[in-house]
Amino acid sequence: MTRTARRAPCPQCRRRRHRIRAHSPLVNTLCSPVARYGFTLCTIAGLYAQLTAPTLIAAGLAALAWRYR
């Protein structure tokens, strides 16, 4: 059985991720745990209520929030 170690992201990718976070106020707002869980709960509530457009918007914002946490 061979094991492969996970490689750290390259410095360029790391800088790019920090640059996006630093220059976007929306992404800075989404970095908080309250926003991550809030948008996730809004997505679940929208699915439960069968509301398509608000569910898609909340899901997109939740995906951004979890991506740039």
Side-chain angles (χ1 to χ4, degrees), residues 2 5 9 11 13 16 19 27 32-34 36 40-41 46-47 54 58 61:
T2 61
C13 296
R16 186 179 308 132
R19 191 178 326 129
V27 175
S32 71
V34 174
R36 286 194 302 259
T40 303
L41 288 175
L47 286 171
L61 290 172

Side-chain angles (χ1 to χ4, degrees), residues 13-26:
C13 296
R14 186 178 299 145
R15 277 194 305 268
R16 186 179 308 132
R17 190 174 304 136
H18 287 292
R19 191 178 326 129
I20 290 170
R21 184 178 294 170
H23 292 300
S24 173
L26 177 63

Side-chain angles (χ1 to χ4, degrees), residues 6-69:
R6 291 186 60 190
R7 291 177 27 204
C10 69
Q12 182 180 6
C13 296
R14 186 178 299 145
R15 277 194 305 268
R16 186 179 308 132
R17 190 174 304 136
H18 287 292
R19 191 178 326 129
I20 290 170
R21 184 178 294 170
H23 292 300
S24 173
L26 177 63
V27 175
N28 284 334
T29 304
L30 292 175
C31 289
S32 71
V34 174
R36 286 194 302 259
Y37 289 109
F39 284 123
T40 303
L41 288 175
C42 286
T43 302
I44 293 168
L47 286 171
Y48 182 73
Q50 297 178 352
L51 301 171
T52 305
T55 301
L56 290 175
I57 293 169
L61 290 172
L64 277 175
W66 282 101
R67 181 175 179 189
Y68 293 111
R69 60 186 165 131

